[in-house]
Amino acid sequence: MPGSTTDRQNAGPGKAGAYSVPQALAAMADRGFRLTAPRRAIATAALRQERPFTAEQLVADAATGDGESGRSTVYRTLEILAALGVLSRILDASGRPVYVAGAPVHRHHLVCDACGTALPFNVCPVADIADALARENDFEVRGHLLEIFGTCGDCRTESP
Amino acid sequence: MPGSTTDRQNAGPGKAGAYSVPQALAAMADRGFRLTAPRRAIATAALRQERPFTAEQLVADAATGDGESGRSTVYRTLEILAALGVLSRILDASGRPVYVAGAPVHRHHLVCDACGTALPFNVCPVADIADALARENDFEVRGHLLEIFGTCGDCRTESP
DNA sequence: GTGCAATTGACACAACGTCTCATCTGAAAT
DNA sequence: ATTTCAGATGAGACGTTGTGTCAATTGCAC
Ligand SMILES: [Mn+2]
Ligand SMILES: [Mn+2]
Ligand SMILES: [Zn+2]
Ligand SMILES: [Zn+2]
């Protein structure tokens, strides 16, 4: 059962808000999760990704890469990493859940149709109108979903 | 009535932007789609929904309600109705595609967690910042996704 | 009416995800 | 170092959502 105590030195993310693999593992151990070989492999693979990735992608990755891991374990470990704030689970342009590195802070993305890169931005234009909308419609706002889609500069220069 | 003429005046949606069943059928016929029994049944069932509905919900509905329709036909007909602007396909809080009545105009919704009601609103706070974000990040904006989640007044008064 | 292309729907298939449960293992206690 | 067992694994069955195929059916133009 989770809840024990161990080393807390590098349990948190660095300045950029991104966890290193050792930090991610420490965060897991902190919460009482056992450091198994599959979990090490999955955390390593997840943090190596430079773009949003689906669970299935990592299933395939983990099968060939850093040791074998079953589908169930991949799903379970990604869930844990998301709960710990090592990863965030967001929705891509098609509504499919994808994971990105970083805590699930209030954040939105510029998502490139071509390469899938999700560039975060933090200005939120929703808060301004949410209050007004809530009042006008007797609606209690809990949260919102905002993603902007298009094409990044790199992809535009590479295409005719 | 023998020899009655086909209403051509009903090809478009009414003032509220919502299609009636005859209007939806007329829109299909206009585009060369045949008016089959399954299509009538599916259009009828779809326009009867008062909340966003999934294709699978309508598959179940159509099986019991206005005559039998195969799964493939339901999916295909919903796709047609969405293409015609009779329905819109949006994403719910979980990212699942759902259909709502009305043309896929630029629109966002207040989506109730409890009852699923999707209340549209038309003020868009994204346009304001999209330009700036595009410029700052060399990103060509194609579109965006914005849904606000929470609880509607009806559901709040019914719960403790 | 006839003819034929459009349409249907049973069925197979695939992707994604959940659940179970027999087996294995990390790590705490000794 | 060995014991011990709750935590963890993963093969496999299963459910849901959605797509593709194709022989049989049917709307509709003529
Ligand atoms: Mn926001
Ligand atoms: Mn908008
Ligand atoms: Zn790109
Ligand atoms: Zn409600």
Side-chain angles (χ1 to χ4, degrees):
Chain A
M1 35 188 75
S4 61
T5 338
T6 49
D7 207 323
R8 194 171 281 269
Q9 296 179 16
N10 43 4
K15 57 281 162 183
Y19 282 75
S20 67
V21 173
Q23 286 169 342
L25 295 176
M28 284 202 271
D30 251 16
R31 299 289 203 90
F33 293 105
R34 291 185 179 172
L35 297 187
T36 66
R39 282 177 179 165
R40 293 173 193 276
I42 293 164
T44 301
L47 291 176
R48 184 174 37 227
Q49 309 297 317
E50 297 185 334
R51 299 191 272 143
F53 58 94
T54 65
E56 286 300 324
Q57 276 169 28
L58 218 62
V59 168
D61 243 53
T64 59
D66 328 72
E68 318 281 303
S69 298
R71 173 193 305 275
S72 303
T73 304
V74 171
Y75 274 87
R76 284 188 291 233
T77 303
L78 290 178
E79 207 173 335
I80 290 171
L81 291 173
L84 293 181
V86 175
L87 301 177
S88 300
R89 191 168 144 160
I90 63 174
L91 299 174
D92 74 1
S94 304
R96 275 180 309 235
V98 294
Y99 290 91
V100 295
V105 298
H106 186 138
R107 174 168 46 184
H108 307 293
H109 300 87
L110 297 173
V111 182
C112 178
D113 294 329
C115 67
T117 299
L119 196 65
F121 64 90
N122 46 17
V123 291
C124 176
V126 179
D128 301 333
I129 65 155
D131 280 349
L133 283 172
R135 208 173 314 112
E136 292 166 14
N137 298 279
D138 188 24
F139 191 91
E140 185 176 293
V141 172
R142 181 181 52 78
H144 58 264
L145 172 66
L146 168 61
E147 303 290 338
I148 296 181
F149 305 110
T151 317
C152 75
D154 291 347
C155 288
R156 239 174 314 123
T157 54
E158 286 170 10
S159 288
Chain B
M1 321 253 174
S4 67
T5 55
T6 308
D7 272 274
R8 231 351 128 211
Q9 328 182 39
N10 292 347
K15 57 283 160 185
Y19 282 74
S20 67
V21 174
Q23 285 167 343
L25 296 177
M28 284 202 271
D30 260 9
R31 298 288 203 92
F33 293 105
R34 290 184 179 173
L35 297 188
T36 68
R39 281 178 179 164
R40 292 172 193 276
I42 293 164
T44 300
L47 291 176
R48 183 175 37 226
Q49 309 297 318
E50 297 184 334
R51 299 191 272 143
F53 59 94
T54 66
E56 286 300 325
Q57 276 170 27
L58 218 62
V59 168
D61 243 54
T64 58
D66 327 74
E68 317 283 302
S69 298
R71 174 191 305 275
S72 303
T73 304
V74 171
Y75 274 87
R76 285 187 293 233
T77 303
L78 289 178
E79 206 173 335
I80 290 172
L81 290 173
L84 293 181
V86 175
L87 302 177
S88 300
R89 194 168 141 159
I90 63 174
L91 300 174
D92 74 2
S94 304
R96 275 181 309 236
V98 294
Y99 289 92
V100 295
V105 297
H106 185 136
R107 174 168 45 184
H108 308 293
H109 299 87
L110 298 173
V111 182
C112 178
D113 294 330
C115 67
T117 299
L119 198 64
F121 64 90
N122 47 18
V123 291
C124 175
V126 180
D128 300 334
I129 66 156
D131 281 350
L133 283 172
R135 210 175 310 114
E136 291 166 15
N137 297 280
D138 190 23
F139 191 91
E140 185 176 294
V141 173
R142 180 180 53 77
H144 58 264
L145 174 65
L146 168 62
E147 302 289 339
I148 297 181
F149 305 109
T151 316
C152 74
D154 291 347
C155 287
R156 239 175 313 123
T157 54
E158 287 169 9
S159 289

